[in-house]
């Protein structure tokens, strides 16, 4: 079992819709959770991080964490063509190492 | 403030050749990391340096060595390149521990 699993996609959503991305992790000791966005041919850039159970909102992005069920999700509201990218979920067990999922590719249709 | 910089951006090697990938950060971060990214595999940690003077193995360290030259610089060396090392290599840095990491632009390496 991989440490961090994501649906590879592609996830295709119409412009203006909500894109919902899911991530599950295997280590119950995980403490910190991150979402990175990666455009094709570019490096990952941090979108959000979440440490506590519940929701965290930042603009059009909402991260949701449920430690009991070992999943973290990312919602993108009012999706724009510029949101078309691969989204990487990363998990940290309170040490120096991040474990990354393989990423979910999102395509926003104009 | 350049963030994390990497050189070179592209490199082609022949099997058995050696090379060093350079990484520098100007954010005064304690921790630095080297990852490789392959299609469908996500990012995998090669080596990391929690602080100046320390280095530790990550998930896929075989065939690589690292040097934390000072607080700013962290290099990755391939002593004898193999085709399996064809990948995109990213350097990252972070303040410390479980905190966020910031990535450099990457090096695309092809080993023939």
């Amino acid at each position: 079992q991989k440490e961090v699993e994501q649906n590879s996609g592609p996830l295709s959503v119409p412009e203006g819709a909500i894109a919902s991305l899911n991530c599950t992790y295997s280590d119950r000791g995980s403490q910190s959770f991150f979402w990175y966005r990666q455009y094709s041919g570019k490096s990952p850039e941090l979108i959000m991080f979440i440490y506590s159970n519940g929701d965290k909102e930042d603009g059009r992005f909402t991260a949701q964490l449920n430690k009991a069920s070992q999943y973290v999700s990312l919602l993108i509201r009012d999706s724009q063509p510029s949101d078309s990218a691969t989204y990487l979920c990363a998990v940290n067990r309170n040490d120096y190492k991040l474990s990354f999922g393989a990423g979910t590719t999102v395509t926003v249709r104009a | 403030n350049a963030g994390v910089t990497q050189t070179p951006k592209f490199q082609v090697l022949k099997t058995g050749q050696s090379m060093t990938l350079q990484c520098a950060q100007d954010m005064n971060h304690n921790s630095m990391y080297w990852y490789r990214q392959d299609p469908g595999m996500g990012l995998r940690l090669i080596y990391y340096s929690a602080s100046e003077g320390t280095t530790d193995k990550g998930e896929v360290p075989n065939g690589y060595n690292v040097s934390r030259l000072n607080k700013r610089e962290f290099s990755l060396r391939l002593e004898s390149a193999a085709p399996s090392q064809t990948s995109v290599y990213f350097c990252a840095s972070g303040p410390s521990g479980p905190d966020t990491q910031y990535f450099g632009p990457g090096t695309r390496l092809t080993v023939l």
Side-chain angles (χ1 to χ4, degrees):
Chain A
Q1 182 187 10
K2 292 182 180 179
E3 284 193 49
V4 181
E5 300 215 39
Q6 299 180 249
N7 291 330
S8 60
L11 175 65
S12 180
V13 298
E15 186 174 356
I18 295 175
S20 178
L21 292 75
N22 295 320
C23 171
T24 59
Y25 59 94
S26 60
D27 190 335
R28 283 196 172 275
S30 300
Q31 298 289 329
S32 311
F33 307 86
F34 305 87
W35 283 100
Y36 285 83
R37 177 177 63 198
Q38 186 175 25
Y39 292 114
S40 180
K42 301 296 185 182
S43 59
E45 56 177 326
L46 181 70
I47 298 175
M48 294 195 68
F49 59 88
I50 186 167
Y51 300 146
S52 303
N53 279 328
D55 296 358
K56 180 180 179 181
E57 187 175 316
D58 185 359
R60 296 185 296 109
F61 298 97
T62 299
Q64 299 173 317
L65 174 60
N66 184 324
K67 288 187 179 180
S69 300
Q70 295 176 245
Y71 84 78
V72 57
S73 63
L74 179 71
L75 300 177
I76 307 173
R77 291 184 302 282
D78 187 24
S79 295
Q80 301 297 309
S82 60
D83 295 326
S84 297
T86 296
Y87 290 80
L88 304 172
C89 173
V91 175
N92 190 304
R93 296 170 297 170
N94 212 34
D95 59 14
Y96 290 87
K97 294 177 282 188
L98 282 179
S99 295
F100 283 85
T104 298
T105 299
V106 174
T107 301
V108 180
R109 310 187 303 271
Chain B
N1 191 339
V4 180
T5 57
Q6 293 182 236
T7 55
K9 286 186 170 50
F10 301 93
Q11 184 71 49
V12 178
L13 294 177
K14 294 181 180 179
T15 296
Q17 287 184 317
S18 63
M19 78 161 295
T20 300
L21 281 63
Q22 306 286 353
C23 174
Q25 53 92 8
D26 62 3
M27 295 177 282
N28 200 36
H29 287 163
N30 289 313
S31 304
M32 297 186 74
Y33 308 82
W34 277 106
Y35 293 89
R36 60 178 289 173
Q37 187 174 37
D38 303 294
M41 300 287 289
L43 286 156
R44 292 183 292 170
L45 183 65
I46 305 171
Y47 270 94
Y48 68 100
S49 171
S51 61
E52 186 179 356
T54 68
T55 61
D56 284 286
K57 295 178 180 179
E59 182 184 354
V60 288
N62 291 345
Y64 306 94
N65 284 302
V66 291
S67 296
R68 183 74 182 266
L69 304 170
N70 47 56
K71 190 172 185 178
R72 290 187 63 247
E73 299 173 287
F74 189 37
S75 63
L76 178 71
R77 183 161 178 84
L78 286 71
E79 292 290 352
S80 179
S84 61
Q85 294 178 306
T86 293
S87 188
V88 180
Y89 291 85
F90 288 103
C91 177
S93 71
S96 66
D99 218 323
T100 56
Q101 294 181 18
Y102 300 89
F103 286 79
T107 295
R108 292 185 177 275
L109 175 67
T110 301
V111 183
L112 302 174

